[in-house]
Amino acid sequence: MQFAHQTLAQRVRFATGAATIGVAEEVALLAGERVLLLAAESEAELAMRIAERLPGVRLHDEVAMHVPVPVAERARAVAEEHRADVLVSVGGGSTTGLAKAVALTTGLPIVAVPTTYAGSEATPVWGLTEEGKKTTGTDLRVLPRVVVYDADLTLSLPIELSIASGINAMAHCIDSMWAPASDPIDRALAGEGIRTLATGLVTIKQDPQDREGREQTLYGAYLSAVAFASAGSGLHHKICHVLGGRYDLPHAQTHAVVLPHVLAFNAPNSHEAEDRIADALDTGFSIDGLIDLCDELEAPRALRDLGMTREQIAPAVEEVLAGLPEGNPTEVTHDNLTTLLTDAWEGRDPR
Ligand code: NAD
């Protein structure tokens, strides 16, 4: 074996039904005295409940998807004015992303309390959008110092968004199988992530209020993010990044539509990925397992249903081709990528 794997320094706490106590204890461990609480308006009430026992709390609720630069700058100004010493974020990937934008320039520690399965809380990747162009980067300053997971906080996430967000997490696992820096540790975590996410998602599809199903899905989302943080972005994420950035498509749903197409494209040329994913999904062929799961979950199927037009396929193909990740198992050409995106746009079965 020849590989180097870096485990990132982060404290992770699972505290179902106990986020308020968990966050208070973690902020105290960081010696925090003035907390800037970041939460979108719709999660503000929930966040205030979690912040009940925190010292010096100031709430800032201006959150927007993909962190527009002016939104980041206003949050940084509030952090400075409040003389915050800890950031607590309560929300999905957009809220965690805002906390990361503040940490990037201030170095403040983040205690992240995720309420979706996006997984941003376990990565050192930040993203900012300016004039429609999304820039991302990696910086250890933005890696939340602590993550507090409380499955109860995801009970209010609508089932369609829960499913799409859970498949977004599964996409982290599947792309981790062949992303440029993928190593055996990432692939082991990703396999367990797929297994856990599949079980959790089927359970919450049957009963969105099932706490154990929510816990499983959250745990799988964490595993997926750890694998992804180490392995990096593969073909699937490259495609979704281009689609999301260019056409402002909804993040989680775009991942849910594209994932089976990338798996069908790559799995035949990656035996280890095929074996691991099929094993995790308890099926003969990985693609059959994923499509059966997506059918059972009634996951979104077509990019055209998310607001993309047929004319937008060709420019997206060009942009993906211009920045292909290294080492993709299947050679990507103009023709096969156009077919992949057209199939995803139409919602065809990739088999
Ligand atoms: P999101 O944070 O935009 O949330 C989606 C919607 O769900 C919002 O309207 C939000 O208010 C609502 N919501 C969140 N939690 C809820 C709850 N518990 N109950 C009810 N409603 C709730 O979406 P997301 O998919 O979590 O995150 C997407 C963003 O995260 C994108 O910008 C993406 O690029 C970023 N992301 C970054 C990384 C990274 O490593 N940097 C990883 C994954 C995602």
Side-chain angles (χ1 to χ4, degrees), residues 117 159 162-163 166 170 193-208 210-220 293 297:
Y117 309 118
I159 187 63
S162 301
I163 298 295
M170 193 166 283
I194 293 169
R195 192 186 316 280
T196 313
L197 285 165
T199 313
L201 286 170
V202 168
T203 309
I204 61 176
K205 173 71 180 165
Q206 286 159 1
D207 176 8
D210 189 299
R211 277 178 118 192
E212 220 171 288
R214 293 282 181 181
E215 273 178 339
Q216 289 291 300
T217 310
L218 211 45
Y219 176 59
L293 180 69
L297 299 174

Side-chain angles (χ1 to χ4, degrees), residues 40 42-43 46 65-67 91-95 100 115-121 123-127 134 153-158 161 165 168 172 228 251-252:
S42 49
E43 278 83 60
L46 180 78
M65 198 150 98
H66 304 312
V67 200
S94 299
T95 310
K100 287 176 162 183
T115 62
T116 69
Y117 309 118
S120 173
E121 65 278 3
T123 83
V125 179
W126 55 266
K134 186 166 177 174
L153 306 181
T154 62
L155 289 171
S156 56
L157 194 62
L161 190 51
S165 188
N168 179 191
H172 293 144
F228 176 65
H251 178 82

Side-chain angles (χ1 to χ4, degrees), residues 6-27:
Q6 187 166 350
T7 299
L8 301 177
Q10 182 179 62
R11 195 171 143 81
V12 179
R13 179 163 178 161
F14 275 77
T16 304
T20 305
I21 296 172
V23 172
E25 288 177 359
E26 296 302 330
V27 168

